Amino acid sequence: VVGPTPEQTTATNKPHYRTADGPGSTPAVSFNGTSHYFALGHTLSNRPWNHCTVIVVAKFGSTSGEQTFISQDLSGWSGDLLFGMNPHDSLSPAPNTTSGRVGAMFHSTTANTHQIVEKTGTVDTTNFHAWALNIDNAAGVMDLWDGGSAAVASSAITSAYVVEDRAWEIGRNPAYAARYFNGTMAELIVFDRPLSSVEMESLMMHLEAKHGI
């Protein structure tokens, strides 16, 4: 997991580095689903939260509850971003009506208005996948990738292009103590801009080949 110096409040919150828990018995970071997370601080400082790409090579440990790959500050309506399983926030019910679906949501600049994208079907808990969220505000679209050569789900977005300076966390939704990621991450990448379809396809192919997934 790559990012600016992670900060932990206590040792209890620190995910566990395992030398053989990743794809093909490679190193990875395990999250227990109850207390583990990374606090990345202002990873995209003064960059628009709705104009970026987040990629996670991970395996879920279960299909229950809400689990968070990565989230951005949830202190207000504008600027909230959640990416993981069954993501939702304190202001509305989960947008996902079926448990075990991978997806993402963020608030628009209009109070309590959400932008949502999700993949149909229950997530695979046996194998690692290269999941990606590509948010292109200029094009007005949010794409969800599950490896492969094309997005598996897309959603139109209408939120204004805004700049927020908000904190990011890996492995939990800070608005709710119970919504931690339960599983293993082999790699996480954040871009401060959306990638083109050609870039996405190339990167997905590279990650699948790199990790043998």
Side-chain angles (χ1 to χ4, degrees):
V1 177
V2 179
T5 309
E7 302 170 358
Q8 302 301 328
T9 304
T10 67
T12 303
N13 299 127
K14 186 177 181 180
H16 292 162
Y17 176 80
R18 307 293 190 188
T19 59
D21 281 7
S25 298
T26 56
V29 179
S30 294
F31 295 74
N32 63 4
T34 58
S35 62
H36 290 170
Y37 72 96
F38 283 123
L40 291 185
H42 297 255
T43 304
L44 296 184
S45 182
N46 292 317
R47 300 294 297 172
W49 50 266
N50 58 350
H51 203 64
C52 65
T53 300
V54 180
I55 301 171
V56 185
V57 177
K59 180 176 70 173
F60 284 94
S62 74
T63 60
S64 62
E66 178 192 325
Q67 299 184 39
T68 308
F69 285 147
I70 191 167
S71 65
Q72 199 178 25
D73 183 83
L74 300 175
S75 61
W77 285 326
S78 175
D80 305 350
L81 172 64
L82 296 172
F83 178 26
M85 183 191 296
N86 300 334
H88 78 287
D89 63 6
S90 60
L91 301 176
S92 68
N96 313 72
T97 56
T98 305
S99 297
R101 291 186 177 182
V102 172
M105 66 147 286
F106 66 84
H107 271 111
S108 73
T109 52
T110 302
N112 212 20
T113 301
H114 302 89
Q115 311 291 336
I116 302 164
V117 64
E118 69 173 358
K119 180 184 179 182
T120 302
T122 303
V123 69
D124 172 20
T125 58
T126 303
N127 303 295
F128 280 84
H129 288 243
W131 299 101
L133 175 65
N134 197 36
I135 308 176
D136 189 338
N137 182 80
V141 65
M142 176 167 60
D143 292 329
L144 180 68
W145 290 63
D146 179 8
S149 59
V152 295
S154 296
S155 176
I157 58 176
T158 58
S159 176
Y161 190 101
V162 297
V163 173
E164 298 281 350
D165 191 9
R166 294 176 178 269
W168 291 66
E169 292 189 355
I170 297 175
R172 78 165 184 170
N173 170 354
Y176 293 97
R179 290 165 187 169
Y180 289 82
F181 173 58
N182 177 3
T184 306
M185 290 189 192
E187 189 163 356
L188 185 143
I189 308 169
V190 177
F191 292 91
D192 64 356
R193 65 172 178 85
L195 301 185
S196 69
S197 58
V198 173
E199 289 174 321
M200 284 296 302
E201 180 179 356
S202 176
L203 187 52
M204 290 292 99
M205 292 176 62
H206 165 73
L207 290 173
E208 288 181 324
K210 173 184 177 181
H211 294 285
I213 57 178

